[in-house]
Amino acid sequence: GDSVTQMEGPVTLSEEAFLTINCTYTATGYPSLFWYVQYPGEGLQLLLKATKADDKGSNKGFEATYRKETTSFHLEKGSVQVSDSAVYFCALGRYGQNFVFGPGTRLSVLP
Amino acid sequence: GAVVSQHPSRVICKSGTSVKIECRSLDFQATTMFWYRQFPKQSLMLMATSNEGSKATYEQGVEKDKFLINHASLTLSTLTVTSAHPEDSSFYICSARGQEGYEQYFGPGTRLTVT
């Protein structure tokens, strides 16, 4: 079945550092891929998505490219802020089916 | 964009009582709603999937008699935790999916504490 793997956290960075959170998936066919962000005590918010190979999702300075050849959807941001501290979930979705979530990666950004 | 609300955001109840959590899609019709449970510093665990007007489908290991799910309309699903115990304390998150069929929209979550 489908599965999603994310890099182990927590990730601690200084403000303005470059961020990469790795996400790889195992799936047949062409699922859609998502990044969600969860701030402390809150639910999940959609950060960005990509629905087909080579699509790039972007939002709030974050980017991720759907790489079919490497089955990856790595999240990147050029310059993180303290306000980006949160837990980030990579997810895989198919039409009419449940999402498959990665375990989440906790990011802490220090001033 | 699509908005999903949950109520209450926090609830504290005594052991042995029942608690109802509501999940509403505010600006779209949710043909399918999902209920997740999240333990501290862990990922989301899918508890059940409910389609409007049908019985919920529970994931393996989730007690259907303890976690009652009702999806009586296209904008409302409820999760009732019956005879709650301290081990039921958790963060419960719902999500909703419209007729387009794949994207889920998440509620803000409900923190349940059973004393």
Side-chain angles (χ1 to χ4, degrees):
Chain A
D2 297 343
S3 66
V4 175
T5 303
Q6 286 180 239
M7 64 188 292
E8 294 279 338
V11 174
T12 303
L13 296 173
S14 297
E15 203 165 25
E16 298 184 1
F18 184 86
L19 169 71
T20 300
I21 300 178
N22 290 339
C23 170
T24 56
Y25 67 92
T26 302
T28 56
Y30 299 90
S32 296
L33 300 174
F34 304 83
W35 276 102
Y36 283 87
V37 59
Q38 185 179 32
Y39 298 102
E42 299 183 13
L44 271 66
Q45 299 176 27
L46 178 64
L47 183 59
L48 52 84
K49 66 181 180 183
T51 58
K52 61 183 186 296
D54 299 325
D55 266 4
K56 177 187 282 188
S58 61
N59 185 26
K60 299 180 182 179
F62 291 90
E63 293 182 340
T65 301
Y66 189 159
R67 301 282 187 203
K68 181 71 175 173
E69 63 276 14
T70 54
T71 61
S72 65
F73 193 53
H74 303 323
L75 182 68
E76 297 183 335
K77 186 175 185 183
S79 176
V80 292
Q81 306 300 312
V82 173
S83 57
D84 294 327
S85 298
V87 180
Y88 292 82
F89 292 95
C90 185
L92 178 160
R94 296 183 186 274
Y95 186 90
Q97 297 184 23
N98 301 332
F99 273 21
V100 176
F101 284 93
T105 301
R106 184 175 300 275
L107 170 66
S108 295
V109 180
L110 305 177
Chain B
V3 179
V4 175
S5 69
Q6 276 184 245
H7 178 81
S9 57
R10 291 178 181 272
V11 57
I12 300 172
C13 70
K14 291 185 183 294
S15 187
T17 61
S18 296
V19 175
K20 180 184 286 188
I21 302 170
E22 292 186 348
C23 177
R24 292 181 184 273
S25 57
L26 299 185
D27 51 3
F28 69 103
Q29 293 186 325
T31 51
T32 306
M33 286 186 168
F34 304 87
W35 287 95
Y36 295 87
R37 184 171 180 177
Q38 186 180 33
F39 291 102
K41 298 187 178 181
Q42 294 189 25
S43 189
L44 280 71
M45 181 191 79
L46 180 66
M47 299 175 66
T49 303
S50 72
N51 292 295
E52 185 265 337
S54 304
K55 288 185 177 180
T57 301
Y58 290 80
E59 296 298 302
Q60 193 171 4
V62 177
E63 299 174 61
K64 60 180 68 176
D65 294 332
K66 181 167 187 61
F67 298 100
L68 301 179
I69 292 171
N70 183 281
H71 190 170
S73 79
L74 284 171
T75 59
L76 174 64
S77 176
T78 59
L79 167 67
T80 302
V81 183
T82 62
S83 187
H85 287 93
E87 57 266 30
D88 299 325
S89 299
S90 192
F91 193 54
Y92 292 88
I93 302 175
C94 74
S95 70
R97 185 172 68 200
Q99 291 176 341
E100 76 278 8
Y102 72 92
E103 189 160 341
Q104 290 185 34
Y105 304 95
F106 286 82
T110 297
R111 172 77 57 194
L112 169 63
T113 303
V114 184
T115 61

